[in-house]
Amino acid sequence: MEEKIKKIKSQIAEQLKSIKDKNSLEDVRIKFLGKKGEVTELLKEFKDLPKEEKPKFGKALNELKNEIENSIKERETKLKAEEISKKLEEEKIDVTLPSKKIIRGSKHPLTRVIEEIEDLFVSMGYDVCSGPELETDEFCFERLNLPKGHPARDMQDTFYITTEYLLRTQTSAVQAHTMMDNKEKGPIREIVPGKTYRREDDATHSHQFNQVEGLVVDKDISFADLKGTLEIFMKHMLGPNTELRFRPSYFPFTEPSYEVDVSCFKCGGKGCNLCKHTGWIELLGAGIVHPNVLRMNGYDPDVYSGFAFGTGLDRLAMFKYEITDIRLLYSNDVRFLEQFDRKDI
Ligand code: PHE
């Protein structure tokens, strides 16, 4: 028995040394302490020992069992520590590696155009104003000299919500708000960038689009002021060689009214695909504020006069950046949007 105990002791020391993982440690435990393990076998043999030898070997066997259990535990703790330091070693971060490139968003072409326009007009003393997109018939039409049943309402296909409420078809609706809200009935200089809605949908029209409105009301405002302002506006947006052409037109809220064309900035007016070989691109509606509009919104047309203009921002962005389909502006395709991150535009 003594021999066997000694042998087991040396075996276990030997085997524990070479152990590399939890599983083989468990194998060793089973080999010595399991149901058929070597120590368990010895305990069985112990039963058959003569009485006088029992106390001596009982103690020795107990000690052996404890010793084995302890050394297994010890080995287990060491294994765990080794595992952790190995993991730490593997997970080491090399802080000197180059970092991942962060993909940054870029400003939407419409935002760019709006900001550019706002900067220009604010520098000339204008306010940037806004109004409701869900508008009343009164402000979108009636206060702009378009009473119910007026044939010019057909110029704009409208989304009516009820007979009184509609999605505004033009930012001109804000003209009436500003004049009505101006308690002192003093001068007005405003631009209104904003969303507008009409029942149309194809490559050059979207049911929702953006306009910027301009309104100036003061004493002695004339067509010369309108012309000069639009010249500054268009040259700023499309280049210093841009020329303007005023064609007589009709809007119920201005008199006289004009459609304003700009010389094609791609061909300089010679004629190309962009301007459909005419040399001109139609970009704005404009005119002198109709006396009825001034009167209806609290301004005396014998004292005050004004000019107004409106342009489609989507159209302006499309020409400026040579975008051929308006729907690209609203489809949020990153391949399209990335192109506007360039420094030169
Ligand atoms: N509101 C007009 C439109 O949407 C444009 C316009 C604005 C015309 C101001 C004249 C004056 O077509």
Side-chain angles (χ1 to χ4, degrees):
M1 176 81 55
E2 216 175 328
E3 272 304 300
K4 282 186 183 164
I5 292 179
K6 251 193 197 161
K7 204 178 145 208
I8 289 179
K9 276 189 181 174
S10 72
Q11 265 182 353
I12 191 110
E14 195 59 35
Q15 294 195 8
L16 281 180
K17 249 192 239 162
S18 60
I19 268 172
K20 293 235 162 53
D21 58 60
K22 264 193 199 161
N23 288 346
S24 31
L25 187 66
E26 181 61 10
D27 289 344
V28 171
R29 202 188 61 78
I30 292 169
K31 188 171 172 222
F32 291 98
L33 301 175
K35 262 187 192 162
K36 287 184 181 154
E38 297 194 22
V39 177
T40 322
E41 290 301 320
L42 271 188
L43 283 170
K44 279 180 201 159
E45 282 176 32
F46 171 77
K47 273 185 211 155
D48 305 328
L49 282 178
K51 238 189 186 171
E52 57 281 10
E53 287 191 21
K54 273 195 175 164
K56 182 181 162 199
F57 286 112
K59 200 176 164 223
L61 278 176
N62 257 341
E63 272 173 13
L64 176 67
K65 214 179 141 197
N66 285 342
E67 223 180 285
I68 295 178
E69 273 170 359
N70 284 341
S71 28
I72 287 181
K73 227 178 235 160
E74 215 173 88
R75 189 74 193 106
E76 198 178 2
T77 323
K78 261 197 189 155
L79 267 182
K80 259 188 200 153
E82 277 167 23
E83 220 172 82
I84 290 172
S85 61
K86 199 174 147 211
K87 215 172 156 196
L88 281 177
E89 183 70 21
E90 281 170 4
E91 286 177 358
K92 203 167 61 177
I93 297 169
D94 183 353
V95 291
T96 64
L97 281 176
S99 62
K100 267 191 196 162
K101 194 171 174 252
I102 297 169
I103 301 172
R104 286 178 51 213
S106 65
K107 272 187 193 161
H108 193 280
L110 274 174
T111 310
R112 284 169 190 270
V113 167
I114 291 174
E115 286 181 356
E116 211 175 313
I117 294 173
E118 285 179 356
D119 283 351
L120 172 71
F121 279 94
V122 166
S123 79
M124 297 196 290
Y126 283 63
D127 295 323
V128 179
C129 299
S130 63
E133 286 171 36
L134 182 61
E135 190 50 281
T136 55
D137 187 276
E138 179 190 348
F139 277 89
C140 198
F141 296 130
E142 283 180 56
R143 287 189 172 279
L144 295 174
N145 206 25
L146 269 146
K148 286 197 169 73
H150 194 293
R153 285 191 178 210
D154 288 350
M155 287 160 78
Q156 300 176 356
D157 289 322
T158 312
F159 286 117
Y160 278 96
I161 308 297
T162 64
T163 44
E164 190 50 34
Y165 281 94
L166 49 95
L167 294 175
R168 72 176 176 199
T169 55
Q170 49 185 356
T171 43
S172 301
V174 184
Q175 285 190 26
H177 280 292
T178 310
M179 286 190 243
M180 290 293 286
D181 290 350
N182 192 318
K183 296 273 171 330
E184 300 90 42
K185 299 298 164 205
I188 294 171
R189 252 187 259 169
E190 70 168 1
I191 55 158
V192 183
K195 294 193 188 83
T196 45
Y197 302 83
R198 288 185 203 175
R199 262 195 57 216
E200 29 191 35
D201 215 353
D202 60 40
T204 53
H205 296 91
S206 157
H207 63 280
Q208 182 228 293
F209 57 104
N210 292 271
Q211 287 189 329
V212 65
E213 189 83 7
L215 173 70
V216 170
V217 178
D218 207 338
K219 288 168 187 158
D220 300 324
I221 295 294
S222 72
F223 176 68
D225 299 306
L226 170 65
K227 195 166 176 253
T229 306
L230 292 187
E231 248 174 45
I232 292 172
F233 180 18
M234 287 297 122
K235 282 183 196 290
H236 180 80
M237 297 305 289
L238 303 170
N241 297 328
T242 309
E243 289 191 37
L244 269 64
R245 181 172 79 171
F246 286 72
R247 281 184 291 112
S249 183
Y250 174 74
F251 297 104
F253 32 91
T254 46
E255 177 59 36
S257 302
Y258 308 90
E259 306 260 10
V260 185
D261 302 336
V262 294
S263 55
C264 180
F265 45 87
K266 196 174 176 193
C267 62
K270 284 189 209 90
C272 68
N273 283 343
L274 191 68
C275 59
K276 297 190 185 118
H277 302 283
T278 63
W280 295 97
I281 292 166
E282 182 192 320
L283 264 190
L284 299 116
I288 297 300
V289 180
H290 197 293
N292 283 353
V293 174
L294 289 171
R295 196 176 300 115
M296 261 189 281
N297 297 297
Y299 278 79
D300 182 352
D302 291 329
V303 180
Y304 280 100
S305 55
F307 69 76
F309 62 87
T311 183
L313 291 173
D314 310 72
R315 228 171 119 70
L316 195 57
M318 282 169 78
F319 282 121
K320 196 169 158 74
Y321 298 124
E322 296 185 33
I323 300 162
T324 46
D325 189 333
I326 194 169
R327 290 167 289 203
L328 282 169
L329 291 174
Y330 299 105
S331 58
N332 282 338
D333 186 333
V334 75
R335 290 166 302 178
F336 167 73
L337 294 171
E338 268 169 0
Q339 299 173 47
F340 301 94
D341 207 13
R342 286 171 24 210
K343 297 253 166 346
D344 54 327
I345 54 177

